[in-house]
């Protein structure tokens, strides 16, 4: 059994996002959540070097994301390279606002910017190149990120059912995604106009393309939390492609997207989390094993993760609950609809009290910060299921049911946001 608290090697604070497992549209930037006086001191030195007049800087990487706000969750409005210099308008924490054109400004992460004394003489040709880069970026995004229509779907003029219907999309059609508005996608139509479609009636790769962060890019060799999914194809009624009996599954749009989201958010907060990508469902098929043996297969995955990363001390097996009434698995907090979280503790091992104590701490923190988000703690014996749920591996091992089959992907992702906040508080307080 691993010790509940381990002394981990220091992990790098800054993350490179979107360049290793995505199209060229995704540039580089570091984690918003990890600031340092040292790095900001370097910035101030560089700024002093260029005097008090207009300040200019250039990217030090080939693909740097420029965002609408100084926030990693803000929309990407352009990707810039190393060829041009940009006027600095404002600094805010680790972010710098730059002028892209006379009408357009955006925010970049300072770590990938190099300060310069003045605008280059050949600025106009370089500006033209930047405009072309922006067009190429938009084209790449459209080609790589689409919604797939699975049933006759209303196209609307705004992000809500109260907006007018502007057309109908038919099964089999695909539309490029431009951005998201809550639980709605803004899509590009063949006539170059835009429309809104509800996320719960279409299938898309948008979440994977825009949130996945390859573990090696940020975690290095010392992760402390391992995220996995014993039932990795669990999906939701509004998107699942495979429904048979009580099963609601999908090979692509499933609970693993929630795990990836949690991984990304924790890494942004400076906590080295690692989301496994083992397809337990496929392993069961290959080995001709029954569904009831899924935890035996996932335990081997967990053991392998421990072998590769001895620093692991927390293990989250993330599921979604079954056909529980939506009113029991959903809560609205400050106008946002969240999937509620249920902690499941198995008693079929001698150390379950420690797992329970860990769950109780997270349960308390959840309800303090997000009142009503936790559904509480469910204790299960070997007579009520597996009974052990791989929790003997560590006192920090939990099974979490995020929402149920009647929730939406967006609600489950918001629950992951809340869980990341709470675990960051817990982990920070214990260090």
């Amino acid at each position: 059994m691993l010790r509940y608290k381990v002394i981990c090697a220091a992990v790098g604070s800054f993350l490179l996002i979107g360049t290793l497992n995505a199209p060229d549209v995704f540039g580089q930037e570091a984690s918003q959540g990890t600031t340092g006086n040292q790095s900001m001191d370097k910035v101030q030195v560089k700024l002093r070097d260029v005097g008090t007049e207009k300040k200019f800087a250039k990217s030090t990487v080939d693909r740097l994301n420029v965002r609408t706000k100084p926030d990693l969750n803000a929309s990407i409005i352009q990707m810039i390279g190393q060829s041009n210099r940009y006027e600095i308008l404002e600094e805010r924490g680790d972010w710098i606002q730059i002028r892209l054109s006379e009408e357009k400004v955006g925010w970049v992460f300072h770590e990938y910017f190099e300060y310069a004394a003045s605008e280059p003489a050949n600025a106009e040709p370089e500006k033209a190149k930047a405009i072309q880069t922006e067009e190429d970026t938009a084209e790449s995004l459209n080609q790589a990120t689409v919604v797939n229509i699975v049933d006759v779907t209303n196209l609307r003029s705004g992000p809500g059912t109260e907006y007018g219907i502007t057309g109908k999309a038919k099964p089999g059609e695909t539309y490029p995604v431009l951005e998201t508005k809550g639980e709605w996608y803004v899509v590009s139509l063949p006539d170059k106009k835009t429309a809104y479609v509800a996320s719960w009636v279409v299938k898309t790769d948008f979440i994977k393309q825009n949130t996945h962060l390859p573990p090696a890019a940020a975690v290095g060799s010392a992760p402390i939390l391992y995220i996995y999914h014993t039932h990795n194809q669990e999906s939701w009624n509004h998107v699942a492609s495979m429904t048979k009996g009580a099963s609601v599954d999908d090979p692509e749009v499933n609970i693993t997207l929630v795990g990836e989201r949690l991984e990304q958010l924790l890494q942004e907060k400076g906590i080295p989390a690692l989301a496994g990508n083992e397809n337990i469902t496929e392993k069961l098929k290959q080995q001709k094993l029954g569904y009831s043996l899924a935890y035996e297969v996932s335990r081997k995955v967990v053991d392998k993760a421990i072998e590769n990363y001895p620093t692991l001390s927390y293990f989250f097996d993330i599921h979604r609950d079954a056909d529980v009434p939506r009113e029991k698995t959903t809560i609205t907090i400050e106008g946002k609809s969240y999937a509620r979280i249920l902690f499941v503790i198995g008693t079929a091992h001698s150390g379950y009290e420690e797992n329970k104590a860990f769950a109780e701490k997270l349960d308390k923190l959840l309800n303090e910060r997000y009142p009503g988000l936790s559904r509480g703690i469910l204790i299960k014996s070997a007579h009520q299921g597996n009974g052990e749920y791989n929790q003997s591996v560590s006192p920090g091992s939990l099974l979490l049911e995020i929402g149920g089959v009647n929730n939406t992907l967006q609600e489950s992702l918001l629950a992951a946001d809340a869980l990341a906040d709470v675990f960051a508080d817990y982990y920070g307080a214990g260090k």
Side-chain angles (χ1 to χ4, degrees):
M1 178 184 296
L2 294 176
R3 296 181 60 187
Y4 183 51
K5 295 290 184 181
V6 297
I7 301 175
C8 300
V11 178
S13 297
F14 298 113
L15 312 180
L16 299 180
I17 293 182
T19 58
L20 298 181
N21 192 28
D24 286 346
V25 59
F26 303 112
Q28 290 181 270
E29 61 202 0
S31 169
Q32 172 191 16
T34 52
T35 61
N37 292 333
Q38 227 174 5
S39 60
M40 290 309 298
D41 288 345
K42 292 179 182 177
V43 173
Q44 296 301 327
V45 170
K46 291 178 180 178
L47 289 176
R48 285 198 295 271
D49 291 344
V50 299
T52 59
E53 296 182 356
K54 285 187 176 181
K55 302 179 181 68
F56 296 88
K58 60 178 290 187
S59 171
T60 60
V61 293
D62 291 332
R63 293 180 294 276
L64 179 63
N65 291 334
V66 184
R67 296 183 181 270
T68 56
K69 299 177 183 178
D71 187 329
L72 285 172
N73 293 319
S75 300
I76 299 170
I77 58 175
Q78 186 171 326
M79 180 186 67
I80 59 176
Q82 301 184 54
S83 60
N84 198 12
R85 299 181 188 182
Y86 299 88
E87 181 184 354
I88 297 171
L89 302 177
E90 182 184 347
E91 294 175 73
R92 191 179 301 175
D94 283 343
W95 294 83
I96 298 170
Q97 187 184 52
I98 61 173
R99 186 183 301 283
L100 297 168
S101 68
E102 291 300 323
E103 298 82 19
K104 185 185 295 186
V105 299
W107 293 87
V108 295
F109 195 81
H110 82 270
E111 185 70 12
Y112 300 104
F113 243 43
E114 179 179 87
Y115 291 80
S118 63
E119 189 174 13
N122 61 341
E124 288 306 317
E126 293 189 0
K127 285 180 180 178
K129 289 180 182 178
I131 293 172
Q132 184 61 47
T133 299
E134 181 179 1
E135 293 173 352
D136 293 343
T137 297
E139 181 180 355
S140 176
L141 177 59
N142 290 344
Q143 291 174 349
T145 309
V146 298
V147 292
N148 299 287
I149 306 301
V150 297
D151 200 353
V152 176
T153 301
N154 290 328
L155 300 174
R156 295 187 179 271
S157 60
T161 54
E162 69 275 15
Y163 288 88
I165 298 173
T166 60
K168 297 279 186 179
K170 298 178 181 179
E173 293 180 344
T174 60
Y175 297 98
V177 175
L178 301 179
E179 59 178 316
T180 59
K181 296 287 186 181
E183 293 190 33
W184 294 76
Y185 294 114
V186 183
V187 299
S188 177
L189 304 178
D191 60 3
K192 303 300 182 182
K193 294 181 180 179
T194 60
Y196 292 77
V197 294
S199 64
W200 59 87
V201 295
V202 298
K203 293 177 64 175
T204 179
D205 64 351
F206 187 85
I207 298 298
K208 277 192 173 180
Q209 294 286 358
N210 287 276
T211 66
H212 183 65
L213 179 64
V219 178
S221 59
I224 58 96
L225 168 63
Y226 186 66
I227 302 164
Y228 67 105
H229 309 274
T230 296
H231 300 151
N232 62 287
Q233 290 193 1
E234 288 183 332
S235 187
W236 303 269
N237 275 329
H238 71 290
V239 291
S241 62
M242 301 186 302
T243 56
K244 184 178 180 181
S247 298
V248 179
D249 299 325
D250 193 278
E252 295 293 335
V253 186
N254 54 47
I255 195 66
T256 63
L257 298 177
V258 180
E260 289 177 4
R261 176 69 171 174
L262 180 61
E263 172 200 42
Q264 180 202 8
L265 291 170
L266 288 174
Q267 289 177 359
E268 289 175 6
K269 295 175 185 295
I271 296 176
L274 173 64
N277 58 3
E278 293 287 349
N279 190 332
I280 307 300
T281 303
E282 187 59 30
K283 286 181 177 292
L284 288 171
K285 291 180 181 178
Q286 292 173 354
Q287 299 173 36
K288 298 181 179 180
L289 299 175
Y291 188 76
S292 62
L293 296 177
Y295 288 97
E296 292 186 21
V297 175
S298 65
R299 178 56 181 263
K300 293 178 181 178
V301 169
V302 170
D303 289 342
K304 185 66 176 177
I306 294 171
E307 180 183 340
N308 291 334
Y309 302 100
T311 53
L312 289 171
S313 56
Y314 301 97
F315 302 84
F316 287 177
D317 186 5
I318 297 180
H319 299 243
R320 62 103 181 97
D321 210 344
D323 193 14
V324 180
R326 181 173 163 79
E327 57 267 24
K328 291 187 178 181
T329 62
T330 314
I331 189 168
T332 300
I333 303 173
E334 296 183 354
K336 295 181 180 180
S337 183
Y338 290 75
R340 298 180 71 200
I341 300 173
L342 174 68
F343 299 91
V344 179
I345 300 297
T347 63
H349 67 103
S350 59
Y352 83 90
E353 289 285 358
E354 292 177 296
N355 300 96
K356 181 173 176 285
F358 177 41
E360 287 171 344
K361 291 176 181 177
L362 292 187
D363 172 73
K364 181 180 178 182
L365 286 172
L366 265 178
N367 282 327
E368 285 175 354
R369 293 197 60 177
Y370 300 86
L373 184 59
S374 175
R375 290 170 59 195
I377 301 170
L378 176 63
I379 305 297
K380 298 185 75 171
S381 70
H383 301 293
Q384 298 170 292
N386 175 271
E388 196 266 344
Y389 304 112
N390 300 333
Q391 291 170 4
S392 62
V393 71
S394 165
S397 180
L398 296 176
L399 188 157
L400 301 98
E401 300 273 13
I402 296 185
V405 72
N406 298 308
N407 285 102
T408 67
L409 170 59
Q410 181 67 22
E411 290 167 344
S412 303
L413 292 174
L414 283 174
D417 294 359
L419 182 59
D421 286 344
V422 165
F423 183 75
D425 286 351
Y426 169 84
Y427 183 71
K431 291 179 69 174

